[in-house]
Amino acid sequence: MKNSATSRTKRFWAGAAALAGVMLAGPAAAEEAASAGETMIQLAYSLDTFYFLMTGALVMWMGAGFAMLEAGLVRSKNTVEILTKNIALYAVACLMYLIAGYNIMYGPGLSSFIPGLSFFLGAEHTADAILKSGGSITHSKMADFFFQVVFVATATSIVSGAVAERMKLWSFLAFAAVMSLVIYPVGGYWHWGGGFLKALGFVDFAGSGVVHLCGASAALAGVLLLGARKGKYGPDGRAKAIPGSNLPLATLGTFILWLGWFGFNGGSELMISNIKEANAVSMVFVNTNTAAAGGLVAALLLAQFWFGKADLTMALNGALAGLVAITADPLSPSPVVSTLIGVIAGLIVVASIIFIDKAKIDDPVGALSVHGVTGTFGLLAAGLTNPGGSVLVQLTGIGAIFVWTFAASFVTWMALKKTVGIRVSEEDELAGVDLAECGLEAYPEFTRD
Amino acid sequence: MKNSATSRTKRFWAGAAALAGVMLAGPAAAEEAASAGETMIQLAYSLDTFYFLMTGALVMWMGAGFAMLEAGLVRSKNTVEILTKNIALYAVACLMYLIAGYNIMYGPGLSSFIPGLSFFLGAEHTADAILKSGGSITHSKMADFFFQVVFVATATSIVSGAVAERMKLWSFLAFAAVMSLVIYPVGGYWHWGGGFLKALGFVDFAGSGVVHLCGASAALAGVLLLGARKGKYGPDGRAKAIPGSNLPLATLGTFILWLGWFGFNGGSELMISNIKEANAVSMVFVNTNTAAAGGLVAALLLAQFWFGKADLTMALNGALAGLVAITADPLSPSPVVSTLIGVIAGLIVVASIIFIDKAKIDDPVGALSVHGVTGTFGLLAAGLTNPGGSVLVQLTGIGAIFVWTFAASFVTWMALKKTVGIRVSEEDELAGVDLAECGLEAYPEFTRD
Amino acid sequence: MKNSATSRTKRFWAGAAALAGVMLAGPAAAEEAASAGETMIQLAYSLDTFYFLMTGALVMWMGAGFAMLEAGLVRSKNTVEILTKNIALYAVACLMYLIAGYNIMYGPGLSSFIPGLSFFLGAEHTADAILKSGGSITHSKMADFFFQVVFVATATSIVSGAVAERMKLWSFLAFAAVMSLVIYPVGGYWHWGGGFLKALGFVDFAGSGVVHLCGASAALAGVLLLGARKGKYGPDGRAKAIPGSNLPLATLGTFILWLGWFGFNGGSELMISNIKEANAVSMVFVNTNTAAAGGLVAALLLAQFWFGKADLTMALNGALAGLVAITADPLSPSPVVSTLIGVIAGLIVVASIIFIDKAKIDDPVGALSVHGVTGTFGLLAAGLTNPGGSVLVQLTGIGAIFVWTFAASFVTWMALKKTVGIRVSEEDELAGVDLAECGLEAYPEFTRD
Amino acid sequence: MKKIEAIIKPFKLDDVKHALTGLGITGMTISEVKGYGRQKGHTEMYRGAEYHVEFNPKIKIELVVRADMADKVVDAIREAALSGKIGDGKIFVLPVEDVVRVRTGERGEAAI
Amino acid sequence: MKKIEAIIKPFKLDDVKHALTGLGITGMTISEVKGYGRQKGHTEMYRGAEYHVEFNPKIKIELVVRADMADKVVDAIREAALSGKIGDGKIFVLPVEDVVRVRTGERGEAAI
Amino acid sequence: MKKIEAIIKPFKLDDVKHALTGLGITGMTISEVKGYGRQKGHTEMYRGAEYHVEFNPKIKIELVVRADMADKVVDAIREAALSGKIGDGKIFVLPVEDVVRVRTGERGEAAI
Ligand SMILES: Nc1ncnc2c1ncn2[C@@H]1O[C@H](COP(=O)(O)OP(=O)(O)O)[C@@H](O)[C@H]1O
Ligand SMILES: Nc1ncnc2c1ncn2[C@@H]1O[C@H](COP(=O)(O)OP(=O)(O)O)[C@@H](O)[C@H]1O
Ligand SMILES: Nc1ncnc2c1ncn2[C@@H]1O[C@H](COP(=O)(O)OP(=O)(O)O)[C@@H](O)[C@H]1O
């Protein structure tokens, strides 16, 4: 409890104090040394927990990144709704994951395919248990939950961008609830929860598959059932450009995501309190950064050569593509190899966005390409760069995550479509979903509506 | 001082090095163990200090959150001025708190009601003193100042939103100076500074009362003396909506505040370097997050049912309401109880905003409701959830903070009103305060003025 | 690799565990104590590495700050291009510094003037080496690279603002590549890399000279070769105001920079894991904050007295001026002295912006004044406040950095000018560089073009 | 039929609209314009350099009315738009030859 | 020569432009306006307080044509702008006395 | 009295304003419009998909003048707005029947 700097509660671990002050006599040394060991376990536990909380906070911040990115890439008449979706999905995801999602993902499972079900969070680790474990319980359970819960929000954020400008707000939030309660946790259980993908040796360090491919697969199911935005494809079937209304916001969103990704990947090492782990986390930071840089430069150059102009939005997607791709394994490759992975991802994402656009799959922000296509690429690359990786196993993992997420999402979207509907009326879409759904305009004073 | 990775200064604590390298002989063991103890105190001190600095930086970031939230919720013609107020008040608060505010709040007092007065910061803790204390001095005095100074800026930020769009810039900054020099520190002294509220057992972990209720009380005094914005109430007395001009900014501001709140509440545990503290900080993070999520969802649903539309601005206020409410005690309740506290706060804030609006108290951003009403609710809830809490004591604390802050603020505002004036001319208000006060327009190219 | 909370890899350092569990017997005590020492070295290494990564992440975030600040201060028709420049230069700088820049700056040099040349990053410190060093290797090499790489991006960001609204995108990025590959690293080598400025006793804690003056010198060379924006100076030669198009973005950018600066200066202490270092880092945080606050208030007051209006953009520049000035030495002065340094910097920057404007050097965002003029002032002030400082040595350092950077940049800009050209066509400038260079508009829906 | 074009101060729009609907007017079109006139603009400083804002924001109201209504409409606008301060604006009356209502195809006075 | 002013629904702009270019029209000028008419606005809630949006967004198309083209142009606009729902807009025809093309100095019909 | 409507390139506004004030003109009203004409728009790529910008930004100047001033005003605008490049714009002259100054109630030429 907060208090002035003068009247503090005594330190919990008296060991250190004792050591510092009293210990000059011989006989008690061994006993006190035990205390020293305990103190070090406590310190390491604190450091790892703090590291978890800080990196988790960075991942939480990615929610703002998605919100800004998507708000910048839609038209102003649909901006309030996308903002509402983004911040509300974060809240919904947090609550659903608290209710049961976390337990489904990380609780004891029924088999390596079927997770178990239980509700709410269990008790925190006791000091006794931690000390008895000799330090193999490395961080707080609550910190673990916090770190994990921001991941499920990320997965769900991916969906909102792809279905933007035409999906009903509440249907979307209903889907977000199902996704964070069940769909994402089941896929997560298979790998990080200790399920069959883990057993197979699937490599997915921080979630190119578990998080990003999952989000993109759910989005794809939604987009297919939803159809393209009115006016996206001309009578001749050609894709028309629908420019985003606020590119500074989109750029800010990308910067936020880039920053948050240091938490996303950096925190996924799960521990930092010894030399090996600290070195690993550092390597992850460097590789994450360099892959993003490579992706951005490659996408910008490709856009320049292909379209003759330096398309900023492609550069932004390129950076994100690099980030998604390296997420599968930001630890084993060298920075140079990471740069290359980023570069390839940056090239892929530009081509993929154009291809998907031409295939009449309307994805206003490029989420399918950024998270799905380059997520898949990243997983395959990890099969090669990771010493324990295998392309075959990676393909199995990709297939499993895609099939499960797509199927479960399709069923969910379909159920929503058949009941409450998932698409706003044509009239509302024309006028913009903001007024229809939220009764507000994002920029009431300047929009030329 | 910065330098290359190769030529580092030797580590200060030679103990560890010695231990690692030399210590294989028996007789010196005990002596060296003392060194080990000292090293551990040093490590813990460093970790706690670092934790303070990082969480303090997050709270500083809340200044940007308030600036963006308020800039998004006012009209574009008053945007530059609100931005100027927000960033300047942060600076002014930092300077005033440095000059004497911090000492008033945390220095030795004259009685449990009357704080002492001294100027500028005292000396940093010496290594000797820390080691001798056996680790009960847990972090740097400068880090403590840094953490505390960002809190006073938060309290003052609350005021700027409520008086937006009509208050004179320099009068506001003058008030901000008085508030951060005296008004806030005195209330703070009563509780965190070890005054009578502390003695009574008042529960206010991170400042639902000391910071948020204080800010709202000061704002209320200002709003009452200032009157409503021209055109806010029609001739028939009905409140008219004055839509905010940039909702992406308001959403970004809320995300920033949400992130910053992990520092606000998480840092208020004041220590993280042992298992118990690390667990506590983790619990605080989880509860802070879940209360915000609950508040957001509840406010959004209530808006949907009440107005028929999903009012984004209410959702944002709902999240902030959850955050303010849980701030009184984010440690004792379970995550489920915290969610409920957030939910109730989210419901309260919507009703309160509408009620205050109808009561002809014009608060453009809802600061009175978010910080005052739900701050009060949070303090009362803490009286129930905290094992050492008492609703009676909480009421005493609420009363004390409100009466003191309101009265002192009222006098200050009144003095300003009688001398330099606090309200811009009608003409300037009509044309927007930006041009009159700052000579600039926020969006000179797009505003339809 | 990410995994559930239940199945963790055993802790690397078995020492602590052993101590905690087994060690009650006497004879093994000394041996185990060695283990304890090693564990403490590991913990300190982890803490310092983590501190590096977190402060580095804050500096990376400054990239977003520059992007927003500059995007807010240019006209909307040039906004996409400035965003593209800012995010792309960050990527380019990261790649160039990875290829050779870091090695040039921190690798072994040929002489104290001429750095060496090698490519890509060397190997990470091994645990053995660290332990053997007795803890004098304090943090991961990769973390060091990460921290350093974000600095070079900062230096390059400074340039983009000064040459905004008229420079070709790809020519700028080419310059950014040269600057981060060679120009900045050479100047950096002279001081932080252990070159002759280091030997002379030059005081530049975190880069008022190495980073900010360097960036401004490079920018000055560019601006002189580029000329003023069309329409900036009337036929009568008087400077015309060209108002920035989005002041909330500019304010957000300043807040981001302010936050990031805690990483910039705070991380430059390079170590936090003992009492002395933790206290030092805390002092740096406090001084950094207070100098910014002083700068902001001083600039705002001066603008009010001088122009009769509280010019927000001057206040923002004032805060940045305080930050740049204190960067030369945020450790030795007291908070009060730091405030004064900030105040003087805030006054200087306003005068300097106006003077430079009148001198027909067209710098849309004030980068030359903020980073160059107040950077120089900060270095001189450090010559006085730092116990080991000397104004003469400071002048030498300023001269060396300025002459080298200006000359090398001038040659680079000139080469670009003579080959691909550095300035867009008059027609493109009139229509805005966004469409010409990027094919996009920042706000396609609202701009009154 | 006549077309009335009125340039007024933005904050007078509500009053003018009320005055017009009070006369039974059922349609009008408004736009944002900037006016140059006897009401001078203002000079501001941005980062120490002066800039002149010579054009003041105004609202332009356009409405087509039956010829016999024109005078009443002009008077109503004049009264409602009057603040007495410089810059209150102008009202222009122009001849109109034909009017068509898109929805129904009606022409002439019926279409107003 | 006649000036045709049409107030239409924004999403009909493309259709109207096609219809006009189909007639051989080579120039027109458009602007964003807000219309008040039989098509009522809508009422929204912002933070619990009502606000009425009485003006609907419209596009105004202005073009000057040869007198003998006027009827054809009016018909073409009418057809293309028609959605049949209230608020489809109005077309006004005004007399024009002279036209000048800035670039060439041509006057009258040659300048259109 | 005549109403002069000129559609010009935005960057020519300053020159035209100077030319007009040089003639003793004391009032005018401007607005932002988009023009379609011989000056073609441009085609851009956004994320790989083409989009056509067919309307170019223009400024519309409206001013009512005494009939005997009309020619001088038209000439002054023409000269000042001329860049010689396609898209320089048009000037239209329309008849005006009455003018009212809101502030004073003056009518006719006195009100201009
Ligand atoms: N001759 C004119 N033609 C067109 N618009 C005019 C003319 N004179 C004035 N206006 C418009 O009327 C507005 C008010 O005119 P101004 O001369 O400032 O004040 P007042 O009408 O009170 O004398 C101007 O801002 C301008 O928009
Ligand atoms: N008398 C009028 N003068 C000018 N504009 C008008 C007039 N009547 C209608 N309008 C314009 O036409 C638009 C459509 O008119 P409205 O009455 O809503 O529908 P409809 O033409 O289908 O009956 C209005 O929004 C307004 O912009
Ligand atoms: N018949 C017309 N009616 C109304 N506006 C026109 C007409 N013709 C041209 N304009 C306006 O004049 C502008 C310039 O015309 P354009 O044909 O491009 O060039 P130019 O006048 O040099 O031949 C157009 O963008 C449009 O705004």
Side-chain angles (χ1 to χ4, degrees), chain C residues 257-323:
Chain C
L257 289 168
W258 194 326
L259 173 64
W261 230 288
F262 294 122
F264 199 91
N265 287 357
S268 291
E269 179 62 18
L270 304 182
M271 191 172 153
I272 197 169
S273 64
N274 62 43
I275 291 172
K276 187 176 143 234
E277 297 294 336
N279 283 349
V281 175
S282 304
M283 184 54 112
V284 168
F285 267 64
V286 169
N287 284 343
T288 300
N289 192 53
T290 201
L296 188 142
V297 169
L300 191 64
L301 282 168
L302 181 56
Q304 177 72 42
F305 287 120
W306 197 341
F307 319 145
K309 296 281 170 89
D311 188 327
L312 169 63
T313 69
M314 285 298 194
L316 302 181
N317 281 162
L320 298 178
L323 289 165

Side-chain angles (χ1 to χ4, degrees), chain B residues 63 66-67 70 74 78-93 153 156-174 176 226 413 422-424 433-434 437-438, chain C residues 251 255 296 300 310 312 315-316:
Chain B
F66 281 109
E70 295 175 15
V74 301
N78 300 319
T79 299
V80 173
E81 203 237 15
I82 204 79
L83 291 168
T84 310
K85 278 181 183 165
N86 268 282
I87 199 161
L89 79 82
Y90 178 82
V92 167
T156 317
S157 287
I158 293 166
V159 182
S160 66
V163 301
E165 305 204 272
R166 58 216 194 271
M167 159 125 4
K168 282 186 178 174
L169 172 66
W170 290 102
S171 303
F172 172 78
L173 291 179
L226 193 60
W413 289 122
I422 58 175
R423 184 154 186 155
V424 299
V433 291
D434 286 0
E437 299 269 66
C438 304
Chain C
T251 309
F255 267 116
L296 188 142
L300 191 64
L312 169 63
L316 302 181

Side-chain angles (χ1 to χ4, degrees), chain C residues 19-312:
Chain C
L19 275 167
V22 194
M23 273 197 30
L24 293 162
E31 212 159 80
E32 295 294 349
S35 257
E38 290 194 353
T39 300
M40 282 184 286
I41 290 175
Q42 299 229 15
L43 273 173
Y45 181 90
S46 298
L47 178 56
D48 282 330
T49 297
F50 183 48
Y51 148 82
F52 245 63
L53 294 173
M54 282 291 112
T55 51
L58 285 175
V59 185
M60 176 270 164
W61 184 224
M62 289 172 73
F66 282 109
M68 293 302 114
L69 179 66
E70 296 175 14
L73 290 180
V74 301
R75 284 164 292 178
S76 61
K77 65 182 177 180
N78 300 320
T79 300
V80 173
E81 204 238 13
I82 204 78
L83 292 167
T84 309
K85 277 181 183 165
N86 268 281
I87 198 161
L89 79 81
Y90 177 83
V92 166
C94 286
L95 298 182
M96 291 301 124
Y97 205 65
L98 172 66
I99 291 174
Y102 179 68
N103 291 7
I104 291 175
M105 186 152 163
Y106 288 113
L110 301 184
S111 81
S112 72
F113 288 88
I114 304 172
L117 178 63
S118 61
F119 297 96
F120 303 117
L121 305 183
E124 181 59 272
H125 304 301
T126 62
D128 261 12
I130 295 158
L131 294 175
K132 239 179 239 150
S133 84
S136 68
I137 297 173
T138 60
H139 61 259
S140 149
K141 203 182 180 64
M142 286 295 157
D144 191 76
F145 172 73
F146 178 70
F147 187 71
Q148 303 296 346
V149 77
V150 288
F151 273 69
V152 61
T154 299
T156 318
S157 287
I158 294 165
V159 182
S160 65
V163 300
E165 305 205 274
R166 57 214 194 275
M167 158 123 8
K168 282 187 180 175
L169 173 66
W170 289 103
S171 302
F172 172 78
L173 291 179
F175 178 81
V178 176
M179 173 152 177
S180 36
L181 188 66
V182 182
I183 302 177
Y184 168 85
V186 169
Y189 169 74
W190 291 348
H191 183 37
W192 294 337
F196 76 98
L197 287 178
K198 181 90 211 161
L200 277 178
F202 183 53
V203 176
D204 190 8
F205 188 90
S208 285
V210 173
V211 180
H212 294 278
L213 177 56
C214 168
S217 307
L220 179 62
V223 169
L224 291 179
L225 282 173
L226 192 61
R229 287 168 292 172
K230 228 186 121 49
K232 172 67 196 172
Y233 295 99
D236 55 350
R238 284 185 54 185
K240 289 197 203 160
I242 301 184
S245 57
N246 197 326
L247 298 192
L249 283 191
T251 309
L252 176 65
T254 305
F255 267 116
I256 292 175
L257 289 168
W258 194 326
L259 173 64
W261 230 288
F262 294 122
F264 199 91
N265 287 357
S268 291
E269 179 62 18
L270 304 182
M271 191 172 153
I272 197 169
S273 64
N274 62 43
I275 291 172
K276 187 176 143 234
E277 297 294 336
N279 283 349
V281 175
S282 304
M283 184 54 112
V284 168
F285 267 64
V286 169
N287 284 343
T288 300
N289 192 53
T290 201
L296 188 142
V297 169
L300 191 64
L301 282 168
L302 181 56
Q304 177 72 42
F305 287 120
W306 197 341
F307 319 145
K309 296 281 170 89
D311 188 327
L312 169 63

Side-chain angles (χ1 to χ4, degrees), chain D residues 35 38-39 58 87-88 90, chain F residues 27-29 63-64 101 103:
Chain D
R38 284 171 188 79
Q39 177 195 7
K58 303 281 170 193
D88 271 354
K90 298 276 158 84
Chain F
M28 70 188 92
T29 302
L63 72 169
V64 171
R101 185 193 310 277
R103 178 160 48 92

